[in-house]
Amino acid sequence: MAGMLCVALLLTSLIWSAAPTAGSARDGRRQQLTALPPRGWNSYDSFSWIIDEAAFLDNARIMANRLLPHGYQYAVIDFLWYRRIAAGSGVGAYGFDSMDRWGRPYPDPRRFPSGRGGGGFRPIADKVHAMGLKFGIHLMNGISTQAVNANTPILDARTGKAYVENGRQWRTRDIGLTHRTCAWMPKGFMSVNTYLGAGRAFLRSLYRQYADWGVNFVKLDCIFGTDYSPKEIVTVLQILKELERPVVLSISPGTAVTPALAENITQHVDMYRVTGDDWDSWKDVRPHFDVARSFAAANKIGAPGLRGRSWPDLDMLPFGWLTDAGANQGPHRTTSLTFDEQTTQMVLWSMAKSPLMYEGDLRHLDDRTFNLITHPTLLKINHHTRNNMEFGYIHSERASKPDEQSGRSKSGYPMDVTNNGGNVLGLGTCSDRSASGWYSISKDHICRSYGIQNGNASFCISKAKLLPTSDGVTMSNGEDLAKFHLAGIDNEDNCLDASVSPWRTSSGSQTPMFSACERHTKQAWELTENGQLVSSYSGLCATMRSSKEGENETTGARAWTAIGDKAGEIYVAIFNLDSARRKITVSVPDLEKVVGRKLARCTCTDVWSRKRWSVMKGGISTVVASHGSMLFEIQC
């Protein structure tokens, strides 16, 4: 380890920007639930969608014994717990879901036998609660296509009978929005018309049933990012507030999320995904540095939320024994991340105060992984620090040649990138400056220019000839008149698609794709007078950036700082995102720029080695391994 010098910091010069609001302080129950970022275990990365009752309870017992003492309390069954495992079944399959007479999903009886006879998840939840844990489930937003096609009656949870309004009995086909299907599971689920009393009644019957089952936590998918549905989020919030059992609300997925998109929704939720799926690939981990920086700079960490505070969620921790996305088998391999990469991810998640949801099969939890996810300093930073932010004043230089082995792990899931002349097409909020600059050059072509002064168009797309959808879902004639589809110049059969692929990873979360042209809202666009290309599906705008921008932002060195809850306690984390070892330095003058005054004398401890130094002039200077991190605790 290279020599290092540690600098004194003055605690009183930094102010906690995420202090609890008066409203959250008055509501004791709300503050108790989400005053701190939630921690738990989720079945997805280890079991995909095929988790069963026995495997879940095995993991819950280990969690209660080993992780609960460290604050991991939510045991969550991830998606498709209602789908049968059979020939032809899978993530994109149709017709394999268990459903009651009201169009509501219930646990697959073969996988969850204790729920037979109408018990649902109640027997499992009771066992989980007896262990001292809280029980959670994954939900898809809206209603299933299977329920809509069955046209079942809708339960009025307030009367226990079929929902009747204006003298008629309403059914599921009345409330399903066939033009707003889930972007990554279009044949499986669609939004509900929450402007209708029947639509709200259906959602109320769902969440009251989940509360009756003993659910404490719901992870609601296909409602944020590309599938942004603020009206449905607010409706779910209102229903949850009616329940006697408090339920923590987590929304997902996090593709195409920015602080601006989250601005009007964070107060309605407890945690919200801000990235794509984070699998065990360095290419997936690396983009989280930019995302975490953005949300910290926007003061979103610990902002007022549904039950106290809301937390930007960097997604789950894919360590240990895993499976593959969408696989019809349980865990069968170890994580592809090196231990340095796992440590870097854990340090960033802790410094950014992200919820910590471990994903590996706990039946194969090794001591090194256990020690990492329960490291007392990391857990303390995650829960008991403030002013957590990226520190931009660092100096670094390569200390070795690039490591050919570094970053060798691959996600196995392709990125859908449209790259033209070094420019990358993406999605973002319409306030993003890279969302402007689109214009018509003819009745058939939309273009985006770079170097507008000379008028050179760098990227063009053409209005498309529409074809029937593969699932029979079409837009109305009125929508056809007001919107248009856009096809690639080189391939007129594929249209610009604002939805996302089934398991879009973090490294590909900002890039839309082209897919076969069809009359569907996910491919409908509108060109505004301000030169913005707006998606009819999500309300997001098409953006274009130089591909070199992203490369420059995600290489080299990064650093974060946080203030502890004890007087004079400060944490500094240093990260090396490069493929070579780097010497990284945080200097006294630069730290003084941040705190706004001269710095006092302190002591500094390397958290990994526990070596302690008396602070002298200079700063913190150390060589960090490729994709590695260092963490320092400073006492003033």
Side-chain angles (χ1 to χ4, degrees):
M1 177 70 62
M4 60 189 71
L5 298 173
C6 292
V7 61
L9 297 179
L10 187 59
L11 178 62
T12 55
S13 65
L14 298 178
I15 302 172
W16 190 359
S17 60
T21 64
S24 64
R26 285 193 299 266
D27 187 342
R29 185 179 70 175
R30 290 174 61 192
Q31 184 70 2
Q32 182 182 7
L33 281 178
T34 56
L36 303 171
R39 296 177 191 158
W41 177 84
N42 182 291
S43 63
Y44 182 55
D45 282 3
S46 47
F47 290 92
S48 183
W49 66 279
I50 63 165
I51 185 78
D52 60 26
E53 183 170 341
F56 175 73
L57 289 176
D58 284 346
N59 274 271
R61 292 184 190 99
I62 298 169
M63 179 182 172
N65 291 331
R66 302 193 67 186
L67 297 185
L68 181 59
H70 302 279
Y72 290 81
Q73 59 178 329
Y74 293 98
V76 183
I77 295 176
D78 212 271
F79 78 146
L80 301 185
W81 37 266
Y82 33 81
R83 185 152 296 177
R84 300 196 311 277
I85 299 176
S89 182
V91 173
Y94 171 81
F96 291 88
D97 294 349
S98 302
M99 188 175 68
D100 69 12
R101 61 185 292 252
W102 307 107
R104 303 177 301 180
Y106 63 83
D108 172 23
R110 292 185 179 179
R111 288 196 283 151
F112 303 98
S114 67
R116 292 173 180 170
F121 275 129
R122 186 77 213 196
I124 291 178
D126 287 344
K127 292 179 181 179
V128 169
H129 293 157
M131 300 175 194
L133 301 172
K134 295 182 179 180
F135 177 63
I137 57 174
H138 174 284
L139 308 174
M140 298 296 290
N141 177 51
I143 187 171
S144 71
T145 303
Q146 188 172 321
V148 171
N149 290 343
N151 202 26
T152 67
I154 294 168
L155 174 65
D156 187 340
R158 292 169 174 168
T159 66
K161 300 178 181 179
Y163 182 81
V164 176
E165 184 180 353
N166 296 328
R168 59 170 287 197
Q169 184 184 105
W170 292 70
R171 307 182 79 87
T172 51
R173 199 169 291 170
D174 299 320
I175 64 172
L177 298 178
T178 57
H179 65 286
R180 280 198 57 84
T181 55
C182 174
W184 60 271
M185 198 185 287
K187 295 182 180 180
F189 295 86
M190 66 185 72
S191 291
V192 163
N193 189 341
T194 53
Y195 290 97
L196 296 175
R200 297 191 296 274
F202 177 79
L203 294 178
R204 182 175 292 107
S205 72
L206 281 181
Y207 286 94
R208 287 202 173 182
Q209 174 172 260
Y210 300 145
D212 291 342
W213 286 351
V215 171
N216 309 103
F217 177 105
V218 294
K219 175 185 173 184
L220 185 56
D221 215 330
C222 271
I223 200 169
F224 196 41
T226 305
D227 292 282
Y228 186 46
S229 302
K231 173 65 175 175
E232 289 177 276
I233 293 174
V234 172
T235 300
V236 170
L237 154 75
Q238 293 169 341
I239 292 170
L240 291 179
K241 284 185 173 180
E242 297 174 2
L243 303 176
E244 294 182 1
R245 170 184 294 277
V247 176
V248 170
L249 177 60
S250 168
I251 60 174
S252 184
T255 52
V257 172
T258 64
L261 187 68
E263 182 64 35
N264 297 320
I265 214 66
T266 55
Q267 66 269 33
H268 302 308
V269 300
D270 297 301
M271 51 187 277
Y272 52 101
R273 275 267 300 280
V274 293
T275 70
D277 283 359
D278 175 56
W279 279 90
D280 53 327
S281 161
W282 176 251
K283 290 182 179 179
D284 283 352
V285 175
R286 190 173 61 185
H288 288 77
F289 283 87
D290 295 333
V291 175
R293 173 183 59 195
S294 298
F295 279 85
N299 293 320
K300 291 301 179 188
I301 298 176
L306 173 59
R307 300 192 181 280
R309 300 184 193 174
S310 59
W311 305 98
D313 178 13
L314 297 180
D315 203 20
M316 295 169 284
L317 300 169
F319 309 157
W321 197 246
L322 309 175
T323 188
D324 303 298
N328 285 28
Q329 62 175 328
H332 62 95
R333 62 178 179 85
T334 57
T335 181
S336 297
L337 294 172
T338 68
F339 192 69
D340 279 341
E341 291 168 344
Q342 294 175 61
T343 302
T344 292
Q345 180 170 355
M346 188 70 186
V347 174
L348 177 63
W349 265 235
S350 297
M351 293 296 288
K353 296 178 74 73
S354 172
L356 300 178
M357 303 296 288
Y358 181 67
E359 288 282 281
D361 185 351
L362 293 174
R363 298 173 300 182
H364 299 272
L365 181 61
D366 61 274
D367 289 341
R368 188 164 70 161
T369 304
F370 172 77
N371 291 335
L372 176 61
I373 65 176
T374 62
H375 194 288
T377 302
L378 294 178
L379 296 186
K380 180 179 180 181
I381 292 171
N382 179 253
H383 269 185
H384 301 298
T385 51
R386 57 189 184 274
N387 259 29
N388 302 55
M389 66 182 70
E390 183 174 282
F391 179 81
Y393 300 95
I394 54 176
H395 306 276
S396 74
E397 58 184 8
R398 277 187 169 177
S400 67
K401 293 181 179 180
D403 181 359
E404 294 181 359
Q405 297 301 317
S406 179
R408 67 187 180 280
S409 43
K410 299 179 181 179
S411 66
Y413 311 106
M415 292 173 55
D416 297 307
V417 177
T418 301
N419 191 321
N420 185 284
N423 301 318
V424 179
L425 184 65
L427 281 174
T429 59
C430 296
S431 60
D432 190 326
R433 63 181 181 179
S434 65
S436 300
W438 296 95
Y439 61 95
S440 295
I441 63 171
S442 69
K443 66 178 182 178
D444 295 323
H445 292 86
I446 305 293
C447 291
R448 169 68 189 267
S449 291
Y450 273 80
I452 296 178
Q453 65 273 14
N454 58 29
N456 292 329
S458 63
F459 185 80
C460 289
I461 39 187
S462 61
K463 294 184 179 180
K465 179 180 179 181
L466 301 186
L467 302 173
T469 63
S470 57
D471 56 7
V473 175
T474 63
M475 297 188 302
S476 67
N477 290 333
E479 288 175 312
D480 282 347
L481 292 174
K483 315 292 181 182
F484 51 82
H485 285 36
L486 298 169
I489 296 293
D490 297 330
N491 188 346
E492 296 183 356
D493 295 328
N494 289 311
C495 284
L496 184 62
D497 192 327
S499 64
V500 293
S501 57
W503 303 284
R504 178 69 60 81
T505 60
S506 288
S507 56
S509 63
Q510 297 294 325
T511 53
M513 60 183 181
F514 284 83
S515 62
C517 296
E518 54 186 10
R519 293 179 181 269
H520 199 296
T521 309
K522 67 185 181 182
Q523 293 180 348
W525 300 84
E526 181 179 7
L527 182 64
T528 70
E529 295 179 356
N530 297 326
Q532 295 174 325
L533 198 57
V534 185
S535 165
S536 301
Y537 188 85
S538 65
L540 299 175
C541 280
T543 61
M544 184 164 286
R545 292 184 176 89
S546 168
S547 59
K548 294 182 179 179
E549 293 179 22
E551 293 173 3
N552 292 336
E553 288 183 354
T554 54
T555 58
R558 298 290 180 92
W560 275 64
T561 58
I563 306 303
D565 59 356
K566 295 181 180 179
E569 188 175 60
I570 300 158
Y571 296 94
V572 177
I574 297 174
F575 304 94
N576 178 14
L577 310 189
D578 200 352
S579 57
R581 296 168 71 233
R582 273 187 176 268
K583 181 179 181 180
I584 304 173
T585 302
V586 177
S587 70
V588 168
D590 290 332
L591 283 168
E592 288 178 336
K593 290 177 184 178
V594 172
V595 300
R597 62 177 68 188
K598 295 294 182 179
L599 302 174
R601 299 181 64 83
C602 306
T603 60
C604 180
T605 302
D606 172 359
V607 172
W608 304 148
S609 69
R610 301 312 300 172
K611 292 182 179 179
R612 179 176 295 182
W613 292 265
S614 296
V615 172
M616 301 173 68
K617 293 181 179 180
I620 302 173
S621 183
T622 183
V623 174
V624 185
S626 169
H627 300 174
S629 58
M630 298 293 293
L631 180 62
F632 303 95
E633 182 179 59
I634 299 173
Q635 295 288 342
C636 300

